[in-house]
Amino acid sequence: MAEDGKSGHAHPDGRPNQGVISFICSAEPGLLGALLAGLRSAEVKFLYCGNRELRDLCVIPGEGCICPSLSPSTPLALAAGLRSCVATQVRAIRPTELFTVSSAYIPELVEHLGGFTRLEELGPLLLEGSGQAWVAPESKLSGLLPEAKQQADPAAPRIVSCRSLLGPLVEELLCCTYLTSVDLTIRCDDTASAHAFRDHFLPRLGSLRSLRSLSLDFDATMSCGPQLLVGLARMLKVFGSTATSLERLRLGYMRFSEAADDVLVEMQMGLMQMCNQATTTPNGSRYPGLKTIEVCYPQDQELGGLDAVCVALEGAVSTLQKVVVVEAWGTADGCGLESLCELLQSCPRLREVDLCGELPECFNLAEFKSNVRDKTSSEVSINVRPIPRQ
């Protein structure tokens, strides 16, 4: 572009073109938000940082910064973003990595998330029930949580358990009616937290009607893992009883080999009910059923984790088109791969299978492909891939 100050984007001396600035300054907040989304671009950053008038316009007095996408790199940055941004302008909250401690931002999530009514993407986020969090005395949580009410000094910050925030958090999450993608890691190492996730958080998560993609990882102790699977089964049951939009489900690090038979059957029935729905999604289109399943590192691979997964997934065979399995089989004898083959043979709409990780030497890949294609379609793509990067 020319650099004459009229038709170009910059003057010869490097100052931003006033015509560009005037155009942006007269634009609606949505365009300003789109501008901020490109701040990683050197040109956009130069334009923004070089003009105070433009910077001032990107802040709504009394409300906060206009920003359509939050990508915080620390837990404190996430908390600050939740407090400071204009909630109705934010479309995505995507931390740059999975934070290892959630107590720094869970109170802010509970306090502010319900106001992000146009939010479409959330995660990756870690949620943990153990540990404690600080709640400001002026926070609405101070009046909601029994733990906060019991503290004597009304001016002092309240200390509450993280698990007491899980119930209010999921209710705030349900206010995000445009939410289409959620990526959560649930960490649990005590019975009380496991019950909070099992009885309320996970089942209520199934009421997110607009959700199209859900990724769940469990980081749980041996005693808590089976309890979380009960919560997962209840969540799938809720999905099956409502007009859901869920098309992609990713399940990671779950102790399927510890799941009781009735829990696996409940998962199966929930998936079956969900995939057999003859309903329309919230946006008016017909619900196509669950199309993609990803199973990553089901525990314990050597003790039948993949076999148990396949029992649960039998409920989704009528609509599945893609199945991704990551390091799910026994390393010595390929435990679970036979069950996986039988599951895939029952999927009439199957189009693609990805086996990610190192397969055992005893596994006959050619025979596996032939058996699956004989029962489905010769066009089914079956791939062996490296483990995907996290």
Side-chain angles (χ1 to χ4, degrees), residues 39-178:
L39 279 180
R40 290 183 180 178
S41 164
E43 293 82 1
V44 175
K45 189 174 183 179
F46 171 76
L47 179 66
Y48 176 72
C49 296
N51 187 270
R52 182 171 181 176
E53 180 186 5
L54 183 56
R55 291 201 306 273
D56 290 343
L57 277 173
C58 289
V59 177
I60 298 180
E63 294 190 50
C65 299
I66 299 170
C67 183
S69 180
L70 293 177
S71 296
S73 57
T74 68
L76 292 179
L78 172 57
L82 291 166
R83 290 193 302 266
S84 304
C85 282
V86 180
T88 54
Q89 289 288 330
V90 178
R91 299 294 184 269
I93 300 176
R94 302 190 201 95
T96 57
E97 61 183 89
L98 183 68
F99 304 138
T100 57
V101 178
S102 65
S103 57
Y105 56 80
I106 279 188
E108 277 73 16
L109 277 174
V110 179
E111 182 81 20
H112 303 287
L113 190 59
F116 289 73
T117 53
R118 306 292 293 188
L119 188 68
E120 298 174 7
E121 298 179 43
L122 177 65
L125 279 182
L126 170 72
L127 300 178
E128 52 189 340
S130 58
Q132 295 179 318
W134 293 86
V135 174
E138 66 274 12
S139 167
K140 67 180 181 182
L141 299 177
S142 296
L144 289 176
L145 302 176
E147 294 181 40
K149 292 180 180 179
Q150 293 171 2
Q151 299 180 36
D153 187 354
R158 274 61 168 162
I159 302 177
V160 299
S161 65
C162 289
R163 68 173 175 271
S164 68
L165 298 172
L166 296 176
L169 174 58
V170 74
E171 298 305 321
E172 292 292 303
L173 195 60
L174 293 176
C175 295
C176 304
T177 55
Y178 285 84

Side-chain angles (χ1 to χ4, degrees), residues 213-235:
S213 174
L214 175 61
S215 177
L216 281 177
D217 284 339
F218 288 171
D219 180 6
T221 60
M222 186 74 73
S223 60
C224 294
Q227 299 300 317
L228 295 184
L229 288 174
V230 173
L232 175 65
R234 293 174 180 176
M235 181 194 76

Side-chain angles (χ1 to χ4, degrees), residues 280-312:
T280 56
T281 62
N283 64 13
S285 60
R286 188 181 185 282
Y287 175 56
L290 193 64
K291 295 196 290 188
T292 301
I293 282 279
E294 300 179 26
V295 180
C296 305
Y297 309 98
Q299 309 295 311
D300 185 310
Q301 292 96 324
E302 307 292 346
L303 298 177
L306 183 54
D307 292 316
V309 169
C310 291
V311 171

